């Protein structure tokens, strides 16, 4: 194990500790606010989010929408791969910020479009990251792994711990299917507080930019550490 891999392993251990850390008082209070905010979200938005997530899961599992270009990474070190991943996350984050500003500035009807657009950006990013790390998303189990990364990034404390266990045992061939209803509820609960303010005209532009930047950053960090679990184990 070279110096960079040792550093990556140390960062992975720290990340796992952060994932396992119990929610503090502020986080518990935020959850109560989140539940309250969720009750104010219009039914049409609730339905649109649900259908968008269901459609995304179906598209990922069928391999019909998010295929990425093949990457020749066999001779790359972990450091070189992760430098490439960082550049890719940065590029997708910029796209998400621009998209968040545009849809957030337009208010409710156009702002609603941000949810499926952001889902697509996130999923395309995960397919790119999978390729860069040397995994093939043409394989069903790798697409399923991508969905578990997504769920790891945007779920409750309990679900994150459950998903982390699944990811740590992935290469043993234990590949549980995704419950799309639970998946979409976890995602909605995770993002509702910040994203609902994006539907406010004018004010929504700033919120959209911040939210999308933060959510892409969070997804990138989660993906990096989930793939480190598999690669550093080898």
């Amino acid at each position: 194990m070279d110096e960079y891999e040792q550093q990556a392993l140390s960062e992975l251990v720290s990340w796992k500790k952060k994932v396992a850390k119990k929610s503090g008082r502020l986080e518990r209070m935020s959850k109560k606010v989140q539940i309250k905010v969720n009750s104010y979200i219009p039914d049409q938005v609730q339905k649109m989010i649900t259908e968008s997530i269901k459609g995304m899961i179906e598209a990922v599992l069928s391999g019909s929408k998010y295929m990425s270009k093949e990457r020749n990474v066999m001779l790359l070190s972990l450091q070189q791969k992760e430098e490439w991943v960082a550049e890719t996350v940065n590029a997708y984050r910029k796209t998400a910020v621009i998209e968040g500003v545009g849809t957030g500035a337009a208010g409710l009807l156009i702002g609603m479009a941000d949810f499926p657009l952001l889902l697509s950006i996130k999923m395309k990013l995960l397919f790119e990251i999978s390729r860069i790390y040397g995994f093939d998303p043409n394989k069903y189990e790798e697409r399923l792994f991508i969905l578990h990364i997504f769920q790891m990034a945007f779920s409750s404390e309990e679900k994150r711990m459950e998903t982390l266990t699944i990811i740590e045992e992935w290469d043993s061939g234990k590949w549980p299917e995704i419950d799309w209803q639970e998946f979409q509820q976890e995602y909605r609960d995770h993002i509702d507080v910040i994203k609902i303010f994006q539907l406010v005209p004018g004010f929504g532009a700033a919120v959209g930019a911040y939210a999308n930047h933060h959510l892409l950053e969070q997804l990138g960090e989660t993906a990096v550490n989930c793939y480190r679990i598999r690669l550093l184990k080898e």
Side-chain angles (χ1 to χ4, degrees):
M1 184 175 287
D2 63 27
E3 184 177 348
Y4 182 85
E5 290 171 341
Q6 290 175 354
Q7 177 186 330
L9 182 59
S10 177
E11 291 173 359
L12 174 59
V13 171
S14 297
W15 176 78
K16 284 184 180 181
K17 289 180 179 178
K18 183 173 72 173
V19 170
K21 187 178 180 181
K22 296 294 183 181
S23 297
R25 184 178 179 183
L26 180 61
E27 287 82 1
R28 291 194 295 271
M29 289 176 63
S30 297
K31 183 64 178 178
K32 292 179 180 179
V33 173
Q34 196 173 54
I35 293 171
K36 186 67 174 178
V37 169
N38 190 54
S39 67
Y40 292 117
I41 298 177
D43 289 342
Q44 64 187 120
V45 177
Q46 300 267 22
K47 182 177 180 181
M48 181 273 300
I49 296 173
T50 298
E51 291 302 317
S52 295
I53 295 173
K54 182 180 180 182
M56 179 199 73
I57 293 173
E58 291 174 346
V60 170
L61 293 179
S62 67
S64 62
K65 184 177 179 181
Y66 297 106
M67 287 296 101
S68 57
K69 295 179 182 178
E70 289 191 25
R71 305 292 188 185
N72 185 10
V73 299
M74 287 189 63
L75 300 180
L76 296 184
S77 66
L78 179 63
Q79 181 173 1
Q80 290 170 320
K81 290 176 181 178
E82 295 202 337
E83 288 172 352
W84 193 354
V85 166
E87 292 173 1
T88 303
V89 171
N90 186 50
Y92 274 83
R93 187 173 57 229
K94 289 179 180 178
T95 300
V97 167
I98 293 170
E99 183 269 324
V101 170
T103 55
L108 179 61
L109 293 179
I110 303 300
M112 286 171 59
D114 177 69
F115 289 92
L117 286 172
L118 185 60
L119 282 174
S120 181
I121 291 171
K122 289 174 178 174
M123 202 49 61
K124 287 177 180 177
L125 171 61
L126 288 179
F127 272 74
E128 290 288 337
I129 291 175
S130 175
R131 287 284 194 190
I132 294 171
Y133 273 112
F135 296 94
D136 183 4
N138 284 320
K139 297 179 179 178
Y140 177 82
E141 63 266 27
E142 294 302 334
R143 298 197 300 275
L144 192 58
F145 185 75
I146 284 171
L147 286 175
H148 278 85
I149 293 175
F150 191 99
Q151 192 163 49
M152 181 81 201
F154 306 118
S155 292
S156 63
E157 178 183 297
E158 294 77 13
K159 191 63 184 179
R160 284 199 305 271
M161 289 305 299
E162 178 186 326
T163 307
L164 178 59
T165 299
I166 293 170
I167 286 171
E168 289 182 316
E169 298 176 353
W170 194 263
D171 292 321
S172 67
K174 299 175 182 179
W175 304 325
E177 296 295 330
I178 292 289
D179 180 338
W180 78 265
Q181 290 182 314
E182 179 187 46
F183 189 102
Q184 63 91 16
Q185 187 62 56
E186 290 279 347
Y187 181 70
R188 280 171 45 184
D189 286 350
H190 187 88
I191 69 170
D192 278 347
V193 171
I194 189 167
K195 295 295 285 181
I196 193 63
F197 292 107
Q198 188 176 336
L199 303 179
V200 180
F203 180 65
V207 175
Y210 170 79
N212 288 7
H213 181 281
H214 172 72
L215 293 170
L216 264 291
E217 190 78 25
Q218 183 175 342
L219 182 62
E221 179 188 31
T222 303
V224 165
N225 283 291
C226 287
Y227 283 112
R228 281 175 172 176
I229 287 173
R230 296 175 70 181
L231 291 173
L232 293 175
K233 185 182 295 184
E234 295 176 2

